[in-house]
Amino acid sequence: MSVRIALHLKSVGYEYVEEDLLEFKSELLLKSNPVHKKVPVLIHGDKPLCESLIIVQYIDEVWTSAPSVLPSDPYDRAQARFWATYVNDKFFPAMRRLLVTSSTVTSSTEEAKKADTSEILEGVVLLEEAFKKLSKGKVFFGGDNLGYVDLAVGTLLALIKVVEKSTETEVLSEAKTPSLAAWADCFSSHAAVKDIFPDVDELDGIVMKLRAKSSKAAAATTTN
Amino acid sequence: MSVRIALHLKSVGYEYVEEDLLEFKSELLLKSNPVHKKVPVLIHGDKPLCESLIIVQYIDEVWTSAPSVLPSDPYDRAQARFWATYVNDKFFPAMRRLLVTSSTVTSSTEEAKKADTSEILEGVVLLEEAFKKLSKGKVFFGGDNLGYVDLAVGTLLALIKVVEKSTETEVLSEAKTPSLAAWADCFSSHAAVKDIFPDVDELDGIVMKLRAKSSKAAAATTTN
């Protein structure tokens, strides 16, 4: 999603090809991302690019006529990279573990779930603070325009709703994360986002399939 | 280490402060990196920067008179970011798990060790291939000069030697990773590296202390 938003912001036309990561990975995907074998991949001309944050930076550096996704000041750029990396490396994995893995492992499931839930709830508080600093009183992490951190956090907004549904816990709230809650509304109704914002029920269905697959794999390992 | 090499390459003077992460984290560290509470942190003026890869990019963007650490072409830059991220997010965690965690967890230790060892051995083969592509026949990943991927991989070279010692397995070898083995010699004797290259025995000692600490923590969790 972050790659598609970046392409939209830069007014770059593209062909969108979906991959069925659950059942069958295409030859094109395996050839284009042999290391991680996952989406997103951007194929620009005949050159494949992998990893969403790296692709977004590439798009930002290649199509320079539209406003920059990353801030122009090196320190601000480092801060944006810090928070996007935090979201990618800490916040998202905690959500994935909670939704997919920790529901399936046999030992210490409850403890793992509790730890992941805490990490997510602490994460949104950190992001609330980051928003106040980075947005400088404006609507987005990137200021008046969608920026690098908006894309990183925004991509996970639908998954946050799946977590809320699954755990019956409010992750984003007016009480604890007012700025982030307001930001979420602005983000999901932005022209570059609203048409591609994932359907939460559909995403919930995919998560359930992933959980079943992970559960099956864990059972197979135990049997072996 | 990658931050110190980058500063050396840019001829930037700095004061180096060591942190004892095992026993006591300083107020300055906790204030400067409240999210991850870990090193490296670069304090430039009064502004703290965290996360080695982000700091190196910052140094590269701020001190532009010396040769660039990242390639100038956006696609080459994306490739450099891809491999540095791979090393940071996949290769290093596998080594850390192998050396610190999987020796201490009670269940499926042998299986976890085997998986981590495979990931490391497959990792160096991937890096060997990456070296051939990125170096374009030159001495370093970055070509004639040390670049972004050199810093990311080079920082782990001493830890690779600790893994080799600990597992009695050859990770880098003339037979399987000839380019990387030759690169390792050039890297560790480079003027910006040789004076700060970690002592392998000393690093091995730190790893053993970390393992003992992790073991103690795991035992405490089990008792609770």
Side-chain angles (χ1 to χ4, degrees):
Chain A
M1 190 176 156
S2 52
V3 172
R4 296 178 76 190
I5 299 170
L7 290 169
H8 185 113
L9 292 173
K10 299 285 186 172
S11 306
V12 180
Y14 63 94
E15 184 195 353
Y16 176 62
V17 180
E18 282 210 355
E19 281 282 333
D20 179 358
L21 298 174
L22 279 163
E23 299 298 335
F24 172 79
K25 294 185 180 180
S26 74
E27 276 304 311
L28 183 62
L29 176 64
L30 298 175
K31 199 182 79 180
S32 307
N33 190 359
V35 175
H36 303 297
K37 302 176 180 70
K38 65 181 189 179
V39 292
V41 172
L42 174 69
I43 301 176
H44 184 205
D46 59 352
K47 288 177 174 170
L49 293 120
C50 309
E51 302 279 64
S52 57
L53 293 181
I54 293 172
I55 301 173
V56 169
Q57 288 183 84
Y58 175 81
I59 292 169
D60 205 30
E61 291 171 359
V62 168
W63 287 280
T64 50
S65 58
S68 183
V69 173
L70 277 133
S72 58
D73 173 74
Y75 188 75
D76 291 345
R77 200 152 53 232
Q79 293 305 97
R81 286 190 178 122
F82 176 86
W83 286 107
T85 304
Y86 167 78
V87 166
N88 211 45
D89 294 356
K90 293 276 174 187
F91 189 70
F92 171 61
M95 290 210 285
R96 191 182 46 199
R97 280 195 309 269
L98 179 71
L99 290 170
V100 177
T101 327
S102 69
S103 315
T104 58
V105 293
T106 45
S107 65
S108 67
T109 301
E110 280 311 311
E111 229 167 87
K113 266 191 189 176
K114 238 187 249 175
D116 290 332
T117 308
S118 296
E119 193 161 345
I120 295 164
L121 294 176
E122 284 160 21
V124 288
V125 173
L126 288 175
L127 290 171
E128 172 81 9
E129 291 309 309
F131 182 84
K132 286 179 197 159
K133 270 189 216 157
L134 301 186
S135 65
K136 295 168 183 166
K138 304 291 176 68
V139 184
F140 297 113
F141 283 94
D144 289 319
N145 299 314
L146 286 181
Y148 196 53
V149 185
D150 293 287
L151 270 52
V153 186
T155 296
L156 300 180
L157 210 44
L159 203 63
I160 288 176
K161 288 177 198 293
V162 174
V163 168
E164 290 183 326
K165 201 175 146 186
S166 159
T167 58
E168 295 176 9
T169 311
E170 208 173 28
V171 176
L172 289 185
S173 68
E174 292 293 335
K176 287 192 184 160
T177 57
S179 310
L180 221 51
W183 163 85
D185 290 337
C186 295
F187 177 84
S188 48
S189 59
H190 189 284
V193 178
K194 63 180 197 296
D195 295 334
I196 58 166
F197 196 83
D199 181 87
V200 175
D201 289 327
E202 203 176 305
L203 187 61
D204 192 28
I206 295 172
V207 165
M208 278 196 277
K209 278 184 197 164
L210 277 169
R211 193 183 301 153
K213 197 181 169 185
S214 165
S215 199
K216 224 165 139 179
T221 308
T222 314
T223 315
N224 296 341
Chain B
M1 190 176 155
S2 53
V3 172
R4 296 178 77 190
I5 300 170
L7 289 170
H8 185 113
L9 293 173
K10 298 285 185 171
S11 306
V12 180
Y14 63 94
E15 183 196 354
Y16 175 61
V17 181
E18 282 211 354
E19 281 282 333
D20 179 358
L21 298 173
L22 279 163
E23 299 299 333
F24 172 79
K25 295 185 180 181
S26 74
E27 276 305 311
L28 183 62
L29 176 63
L30 297 175
K31 199 183 80 180
S32 306
N33 190 359
V35 174
H36 303 298
K37 302 176 182 70
K38 63 181 190 182
V39 294
V41 172
L42 174 70
I43 301 178
H44 184 205
D46 58 353
K47 289 176 174 169
L49 293 120
C50 309
E51 301 280 63
S52 57
L53 293 181
I54 294 173
I55 300 173
V56 169
Q57 289 182 83
Y58 174 81
I59 292 168
D60 205 30
E61 292 171 359
V62 168
W63 288 279
T64 50
S65 58
S68 183
V69 174
L70 276 134
S72 58
D73 173 74
Y75 187 75
D76 292 344
R77 200 151 56 233
Q79 293 305 96
R81 286 190 178 121
F82 176 86
W83 286 108
T85 305
Y86 166 78
V87 165
N88 212 45
D89 294 358
K90 294 275 173 188
F91 189 71
F92 171 62
M95 289 209 287
R96 190 181 46 199
R97 280 195 310 268
L98 180 70
L99 290 171
V100 178
T101 328
S102 69
S103 315
T104 59
V105 293
T106 46
S107 65
S108 66
T109 300
E110 280 312 311
E111 227 167 272
K113 267 191 187 174
K114 236 186 250 174
D116 289 333
T117 309
S118 297
E119 194 161 345
I120 294 163
L121 293 176
E122 285 160 22
V124 286
V125 172
L126 287 176
L127 290 172
E128 172 81 9
E129 292 309 309
F131 181 85
K132 287 180 197 159
K133 269 188 215 157
L134 301 186
S135 65
K136 294 170 184 165
K138 304 290 176 69
V139 184
F140 297 113
F141 282 95
D144 290 317
N145 299 313
L146 286 180
Y148 196 54
V149 185
D150 293 286
L151 270 53
V153 186
T155 296
L156 300 179
L157 209 43
L159 203 63
I160 289 177
K161 289 177 198 293
V162 174
V163 168
E164 289 182 329
K165 201 176 146 185
S166 159
T167 59
E168 295 174 9
T169 311
E170 206 173 30
V171 176
L172 289 186
S173 67
E174 292 293 336
K176 286 191 183 160
T177 57
S179 312
L180 220 52
W183 163 85
D185 289 336
C186 296
F187 176 84
S188 47
S189 58
H190 189 284
V193 178
K194 63 180 195 300
D195 295 333
I196 59 167
F197 196 84
D199 180 86
V200 175
D201 289 327
E202 203 177 308
L203 188 61
D204 192 27
I206 295 171
V207 165
M208 278 196 278
K209 279 184 196 164
L210 277 170
R211 193 183 302 153
K213 199 181 168 186
S214 166
S215 198
K216 223 164 140 181
T221 310
T222 313
T223 315
N224 296 340

